[in-house]
Amino acid sequence: MAENLFATTRNHVVEALRQIVPDLPDAVLSRIEVTPTRDPSHGDMATNAALLAAKPARRKPAEIAAALAGALAALEGIDSAVAAGPGFVNITLSADSLRAVLPAVLREGIAFGDGAVGAGTRINVEYVSANPTGPMHVGHCRGAVVGDALANLLTKAGFAVTKEYYVNDAGAQVLALAWVVYWRYLEALGTKMPEAEFEALVPGGALQYRGEYLIPVGEALAARHGGALADADRRPLPEERWLDLVRDFSLDWMLRAIREDLALLGVRHDVFTSEREILARGVADEAIGRLDAAGLLYEGVLEPPKGKMTADWEARPQTLFRATQFGDDVDRPLRKADGANTYFANDIGYHGDKIARGADVLVDVLGADHGGYVSRMRSAVAAIAPSYSDRPVAFEAVICQIVHVLKDGQPVRMSKRAGTFVTLRDLLDEVGRDAVRFTMLTRKPDAQMEFDLDLAVAQTRDNPVFYVQYAHARCRSVLRAAAENGGFGAVDAASLGAVPLGSLQAEPELALVRRIANWPRVIEGAALAREPHRVAFYLNDLASDFHALWNRGRDDATLRFLQDAEPEATRARLALVEATATVIRSGLAVLGVEPVEEMR
RNA sequence: GCGCCCUUAGCUCAGUUGGAUAGAGCAACAGCCUUCUAAGCUGUGGGUCGGUGGUUCGAAUCCACCAGGGCGCGCCA
C-alpha cells in the first residue's frame, strides 16, 4: 500500500476531477490539496479541488464538489466522500486503508517518511561559519542546530545535501587574534607587559579578544616554541618574525576547539572551506573577473548612509558591484581602502565555488545581525550564477534571531567583559545535547526565543523534549513487557507488520494512526518551507496522541495495551505502538536527538 | 531617514504557504487521583489575530498605509 496516504488520495482526486472538468490547466491542478481535517467530524481528509476548478469551469463549486464526492465515494478504500461548506469534499477512508499505514511503517522503519520532493536537487547548506577567534557561544548554537536539522530534513525529503562550514580565516580579525595570542605567549614566558605598553605595538592600537580563553593558547605556543618567538630578553620581536606563525597556530587551535564543540553538539559538516584558500586558489579573483567581464563593475563613489554616525565617513572612489541591477538597495564595494578584497568580494568567490561544485540551491543559515547581508548576496549569486551553471541557481537565507537565556526566570546577561558570556560548552554541560537541540527547534528560526535552562531539563508536560522522549520510552516499555510476557508471540517489527489490524477501532487509536499517516506530509512541507521546527511540533503532537491512548488505561485496566485474554487484539495494538516508536525515532533522527529506551 | 524580520488567549508559542467554528502548553477555575500505567488526568473559561483600508467565493496568511519591538545601513565579518 501507499506510504503516503495523502499523495495517493490526491492522485485519486485529480483523476476524478479530470473526468468531471476536462482541460483544467496545470496551474490549477497543481494547487489542489488534500489535507488532514481539523475537525474529525469532517472525515479524515479534505480537498479544495472543487473550489479551484469552479472558476475556470464556470460552474458552481458546490456542483463540482457534489460530482467529485460521488466519484470518490465509489472508489475502493474510501468509505464516504461528501461535499461540504463552500465546496470542500470531505473524505473518510475505510479503516482498512487508513490502518495500512502501520505495516508500511514497520516495513520501512525510520526511513518511513523519506520523500521525493527534493528530486535529487543539489542543495548546499552553509551554517555555523563562526569566526575562528573564540569559542562558540549560544548565539552560534541556534544557527548550528537549525542548519544541521534543516540539512537532515532536506536529505530525508530527497535532496542531495552538502553540509558546509565557511572558515573566515583571511581578514583582519585573525590578525587581531594573533596579536592577543602573542601577548599571552609573552606572558607565558614570564614577560608581564602592561596592556597599554603592548597595545602601542599593535596596528590599530587596541587589543581585541582579551578573554581569558586565549591564555592556554599562549601557553601552548610557549611550550612548543620556547623563547624562539621573542628576543633574548623575552621581549616582543618585530611582527615579521612571528605573525604568520602565531596566526596559523591560533587559527588551528581555535578551529579545533570549534570542531570539538560542534562534535559535542552532534553537528558534523561534510565540507570546511577556508577563505584563505578561496583567495589563494584565485577563486575570488575569478568571480570578480566574471563580474567585470559582464560589465557589472565600475569605479564610483557611494552616497553617505543617512541617519547613521558618519563622523569618519569620507567620499572615496572604489570598485563597486552593480547590485542594484539585481534588486539590492545600493551598489556594493569589493575593495577596501588598502586594496584588499572586502569580505563580500571573497564571499562572492566562495558562493561561485559552491555553484561550480554543483549546487543548485545555496542556503545560508545566518544570525540576525547578518540580515542586512542577504540582499547583496542574493544579487551577487544572481549575477554570477549564469557563468557557472546552465541550470537556474537559487540563493536562500535562513535568518536565526537572537536567543535569550533564562535562569530562574531571569535573563542571563551575555557580556564578554563581565565574564558571564555563555559558551556552547556551558550550555551543553548545563542541560545536555538533546535538550539543547530540541529546545532550539521549538520556535521558528526568524522569531526571537527565550531558552529557559530550568524548563529544558524539567521532567514535566510542558517540556517538549521530555514529553517526546517519554512517549518513546513508554512505547519501548510496552514492547519490552510484551516480550517478557511471552504470550503475545514475537514482537519484532517484521512479525508485527503481518498482524491483522481490524481490532483497532477506538477513536484515540485511529487518531494516532492518522497522525502517523501524516508524517510524510510533514517532512515534505517542512523541507520545502526550510522549517525544521515543524518536525519538533509534529513530534509533540504525536507524543500527545500516544500519551492520550496510554492514559486511557489508567482508570480502566481493560484499555491497557497488553491484555492476556485477547492476544490478537494485543498484537494489533503492539503494531501501533511499534509504529509510533518508529516514527518518533524517525523524527528525532532529523532533529539529531537520541531516542531513549527508558526514563529514570 | 531607508531596508529586512516580528506583533495571534494573562504568559510562551503553533497555525500544514489563501480554506470550513483561529489551536497547543503553562497559568486561572472546577472535579478526579493517595500509585496494578499519576515524573499526573478530565473538564471549563479565556481572542477586534497590533490598527485602518484593499484584493476575492473566502484573509491571521496576499497588497497599501500607520503604530510598536528587533536587526542592519562603504573601506568589520
Side-chain angles (χ1 to χ4, degrees):
Chain A
M1 268 296 283
E3 58 274 13
N4 188 338
L5 279 175
F6 292 90
T8 48
T9 306
R10 187 179 179 281
N11 289 341
H12 291 146
V13 168
V14 170
E15 214 167 294
L17 186 66
R18 276 193 162 130
Q19 299 295 314
I20 297 161
V21 185
D23 304 325
L24 278 171
D26 285 348
V28 172
L29 291 175
S30 67
R31 287 177 57 208
I32 291 175
E33 289 188 313
V34 173
T35 56
T37 56
R38 204 171 296 168
D39 184 341
S41 72
H42 292 157
D44 297 317
M45 308 172 168
T47 180
N48 60 350
L51 286 161
L52 294 174
K55 185 173 272 185
R58 296 168 162 272
R59 292 167 65 183
K60 290 184 176 173
E63 188 188 314
I64 299 174
L68 185 57
L72 291 173
L75 294 175
E76 198 182 341
I78 293 180
D79 260 11
S80 73
V82 296
F88 290 100
V89 177
N90 293 333
I91 300 164
T92 304
L93 299 177
S94 73
D96 276 343
S97 54
L98 193 58
R99 289 183 296 235
V101 75
L102 298 182
V105 175
L106 299 180
R107 190 175 58 245
E108 297 178 29
I110 64 169
F112 177 72
D114 285 8
V117 282
T121 300
R122 289 174 291 182
I123 185 165
N124 182 297
V125 184
E126 181 203 333
Y127 58 107
V128 188
S129 298
N131 285 342
T133 51
M136 290 184 62
H137 54 75
V138 285
H140 301 118
C141 177
R142 186 175 192 183
V145 172
V146 167
D148 204 52
L150 175 60
N152 295 340
L153 170 65
L154 291 168
T155 301
K156 190 168 178 65
F159 290 86
V161 178
T162 301
K163 299 178 170 183
E164 186 141 341
Y165 187 121
Y166 183 46
V167 185
N168 304 137
D169 52 8
Q173 303 288 332
V174 291
L175 292 179
L177 175 75
W179 275 95
V180 182
V181 169
Y182 188 62
W183 183 49
R184 295 299 193 185
Y185 159 78
L186 295 173
E187 192 174 270
L189 292 180
T191 305
K192 287 258 177 201
M193 278 182 82
E195 234 175 276
E197 187 189 342
F198 187 78
E199 280 188 329
L201 303 175
V202 179
L207 280 178
Q208 300 182 50
Y209 314 116
R210 61 195 63 199
E212 298 188 348
Y213 64 89
L214 292 177
I215 293 175
V217 189
E219 287 169 351
L221 197 55
R224 163 100 47 106
H225 295 281
L229 304 177
D231 70 13
D233 299 325
R234 308 202 152 185
R235 305 277 301 169
L237 281 171
E239 64 190 69
E240 309 83 63
R241 305 276 300 275
W242 55 265
L243 187 57
D244 283 354
L245 189 153
V246 173
R247 180 196 56 199
D248 290 351
F249 185 90
S250 308
L251 272 175
D252 191 56
W253 180 288
M254 283 301 144
L255 209 51
R256 196 159 42 215
I258 287 171
R259 294 177 86 139
E260 274 172 24
D261 284 353
L262 287 172
L264 287 175
L265 187 60
V267 171
R268 182 181 296 271
H269 291 82
D270 302 317
V271 177
F272 279 71
T273 301
S274 146
E275 185 181 359
R276 283 171 70 193
E277 233 181 272
I278 289 288
L279 268 174
R281 279 166 46 210
V283 169
D285 289 339
E286 166 72 21
I288 292 170
R290 292 184 187 210
L291 289 176
D292 202 12
L296 294 171
L297 301 187
Y298 68 102
E299 294 295 317
V301 181
L302 285 176
E303 294 285 309
K306 296 193 169 79
K308 189 193 147 212
M309 291 309 209
T310 51
D312 58 345
W313 194 91
E314 59 181 275
R316 195 174 67 74
Q318 54 194 151
T319 304
L320 299 172
F321 158 58
R322 296 188 189 278
T324 47
Q325 280 192 16
F326 301 90
D328 202 359
D329 303 322
V330 293
D331 293 336
R332 303 291 181 174
L334 300 184
R335 309 259 189 234
K336 304 187 212 175
D338 64 4
N341 287 352
T342 57
Y343 175 81
F344 178 53
N346 290 345
D347 214 8
I348 294 174
Y350 170 49
H351 281 71
D353 189 53
K354 288 196 268 193
I355 300 170
R357 280 186 272 133
D360 302 313
V361 181
L362 307 180
V363 177
D364 285 8
V365 179
L366 301 171
D369 55 342
H370 287 62
Y373 194 66
V374 174
S375 61
R376 89 183 64 167
M377 203 62 241
R378 173 173 293 122
S379 61
V381 170
I384 61 169
S387 78
Y388 285 94
S389 171
D390 295 335
R391 292 184 308 279
V393 175
F395 173 81
E396 300 173 16
V398 174
I399 302 293
C400 294
Q401 291 290 338
I402 309 291
V403 177
H404 295 287
V405 178
L406 290 183
K407 172 111 181 147
D408 302 324
Q410 297 299 312
V412 178
R413 291 229 159 264
M414 292 240 303
S415 157
K416 285 186 184 178
R417 248 181 310 174
T420 55
F421 114 118
V422 183
T423 63
L424 172 59
R425 196 72 69 104
D426 294 339
L427 190 62
L428 287 169
D429 288 347
E430 187 91 12
V431 304
R433 176 205 291 185
D434 288 343
V436 168
R437 292 190 63 121
F438 200 109
T439 306
M440 286 290 176
L441 292 164
T442 55
R443 301 279 179 274
K444 55 185 169 194
D446 54 6
Q448 293 182 37
M449 78 174 293
E450 297 188 338
F451 192 110
D452 188 326
L453 293 176
D454 306 306
L455 178 59
V457 293
Q459 304 210 331
T460 59
R461 166 72 183 92
D462 50 326
N463 177 6
V465 194
F466 165 77
Y467 194 66
V468 170
Q469 289 193 318
Y470 192 27
H472 184 263
R474 276 180 162 173
C475 289
R476 300 298 305 156
S477 161
V478 170
L479 292 163
R480 276 195 306 270
E484 281 166 24
N485 179 298
F488 303 114
V491 295
D492 59 288
S495 308
L496 293 173
V499 163
L501 300 170
S503 59
L504 295 176
Q505 292 171 356
E507 178 46 37
E509 291 170 335
L510 294 177
L512 185 53
V513 174
R514 277 188 216 102
R515 184 79 68 187
I516 288 170
N518 204 23
W519 174 231
R521 227 180 137 264
V522 170
I523 286 294
E524 188 175 313
L528 292 176
R530 323 288 191 232
E531 291 186 342
H533 74 278
R534 291 193 197 182
V535 173
F537 280 90
Y538 170 82
L539 288 177
N540 199 52
D541 291 341
L542 176 63
S544 176
D545 290 336
F546 178 76
H547 286 307
L549 204 53
W550 173 285
N551 288 334
R552 291 202 315 160
R554 200 190 39 242
D555 295 329
D556 183 346
T558 67
L559 292 177
R560 290 180 190 175
F561 293 105
L562 306 183
Q563 301 294 335
D564 289 334
E566 38 183 76
E568 280 305 304
T570 295
R571 283 177 66 73
R573 283 190 293 269
L574 288 172
L576 176 59
V577 171
E578 173 67 33
T580 303
T582 300
V583 174
I584 292 176
R585 283 198 296 277
S586 178
L588 289 178
V590 170
L591 305 186
V593 173
E594 292 293 321
V596 297
E597 293 296 308
E598 55 186 329
M599 310 293 285
R600 51 174 111 218

